[in-house]
Amino acid sequence: MLQLIIKVVVCFIAGVGAGLGTGFAGMSAAVVITPMLITFLNMDAYHAVGIALASDVLASGVSAYEYGKNKNLDIKNGLIMMCAVLVFTVVGSWVSSFMPNKTMGNTSMIFTLFMGIKFIARPVMTTRDAIKATDARTRALQSLGCGAAVGFVCGFIGAGGGMMMLLVLTTVMHYDLKTAVGTSVFIMAFTALTGAGSHIVIGGMPDWGSFALCILFTLIWARVGSIIANKAKPITLNRVTGIILIVLSVVILFVNFVLK
């Protein structure tokens, strides 16, 4: 009975963090759920990643729907970027296999911490007019190039996709924050589906209880986060996004360095 309670509590906390991170900031659920399941439930790492990716599918999907409903989603360029991300993730993974060491999740968390500080100190106040100012051909080429860069880095270090996409969409392609998050979660819904499917096929079905609980809690809180985010003022969204990123990164770094 105690083990069941611990499992529910851990999955709930992981779902809250992952869901709000996805709905508000376009952050991958994997960076929160994976270390939580490994550290507190002693779960096999491969199965933990599979559960995290499966949770990401519906959480990103429902978030993308909410952002799209509020016209904060660039589907056309998002599809171009998604294809590039998928292809170059494989390329990056292949290149990394020849390296002696790989920098994994902690690099992603440090990057996330600085992203959080950046959104608070220098908020993204770009408007949708900046997107319209660039012609369609240039925008498509930018999407292709940025997707290739994000995919390669993710495949090489094994983490950081959501934050990388948010960074390039706001700084390179000059999206406003809401459209950047909406486009990011749209892409992640498909990339997570691919990753989750491959993990389940290769590694087998993980623990059903953790699988269902993480998906449910992440879905609920991603929905809550995306609804609030789409109604928030840009400056408020920047600050809340920054706070969420900082808190999540500090917690995960604490788990990795102190509790392990």
Side-chain angles (χ1 to χ4, degrees):
M1 184 65 181
L2 179 60
Q3 289 183 336
L4 177 61
I5 294 174
I6 293 174
K7 179 186 293 187
V8 172
V9 171
V10 170
C11 291
F12 176 77
I13 295 174
V16 171
L20 290 178
T22 301
F24 266 106
M27 189 174 181
S28 172
V31 299
V32 179
I33 293 177
T34 301
M36 289 285 288
L37 296 182
I38 294 173
T39 302
F40 296 108
L41 297 183
N42 296 315
M43 187 175 292
D44 174 75
Y46 199 84
H47 284 163
V49 172
I51 290 175
L53 289 170
S55 302
D56 220 349
V57 176
L58 291 181
S60 295
V62 73
S63 297
Y65 169 78
E66 190 63 34
Y67 279 93
K69 189 172 68 174
N70 287 275
K71 298 181 179 179
N72 293 315
L73 172 60
D74 185 358
I75 294 180
K76 179 180 178 181
N77 292 297
L79 287 171
I80 296 173
M81 192 172 183
M82 179 186 70
C83 292
V85 168
L86 291 174
V87 171
F88 279 86
T89 295
V90 176
V91 175
S93 180
W94 176 74
V95 173
S96 72
S97 67
F98 296 97
M99 300 296 169
N101 294 299
K102 291 180 67 177
T103 304
M104 300 300 287
N106 291 332
T107 299
S108 175
M109 283 298 96
I110 293 172
F111 176 70
T112 300
L113 175 62
F114 281 105
M115 281 286 288
I117 295 172
K118 184 259 182 192
F119 279 121
I120 294 175
R122 297 186 63 183
V124 177
M125 299 305 291
T126 311
T127 64
R128 295 178 188 176
D129 292 335
I131 301 176
K132 298 177 182 178
T134 306
D135 65 90
R137 178 186 173 87
T138 301
R139 184 68 61 190
L141 290 174
Q142 287 178 330
S143 299
L144 187 63
C146 289
V150 171
F152 182 83
V153 172
C154 291
F156 190 77
I157 70 172
M163 288 298 94
M164 283 283 299
M165 279 189 277
L166 192 61
L167 177 65
V168 298
L169 288 172
T170 54
T171 60
V172 179
M173 300 182 69
H174 305 295
Y175 279 34
D176 64 279
L177 186 54
K178 290 183 181 181
T179 304
V181 174
T183 305
S184 177
V185 292
F186 170 75
I187 295 170
M188 284 199 303
F190 293 94
T191 55
L193 178 62
T194 303
S198 62
H199 269 70
I200 292 174
V201 170
I202 295 172
M205 193 65 196
D207 175 64
W208 274 105
S210 300
F211 182 83
L213 288 170
C214 284
I215 289 178
L216 176 62
F217 291 138
T218 306
L219 174 62
I220 291 172
W221 287 98
R223 175 70 171 165
V224 171
S226 60
I227 290 175
I228 296 174
N230 276 282
K231 294 180 179 179
K233 295 179 180 179
I235 187 66
T236 303
L237 182 59
N238 273 270
R239 288 171 179 167
V240 174
T241 299
I243 291 171
I244 289 176
L245 295 181
I246 291 172
V247 171
L248 290 177
S249 59
V250 169
V251 170
I252 299 304
L253 287 172
F254 176 79
V255 168
N256 288 340
F257 286 109
V258 179
L259 298 183
K260 281 190 175 181

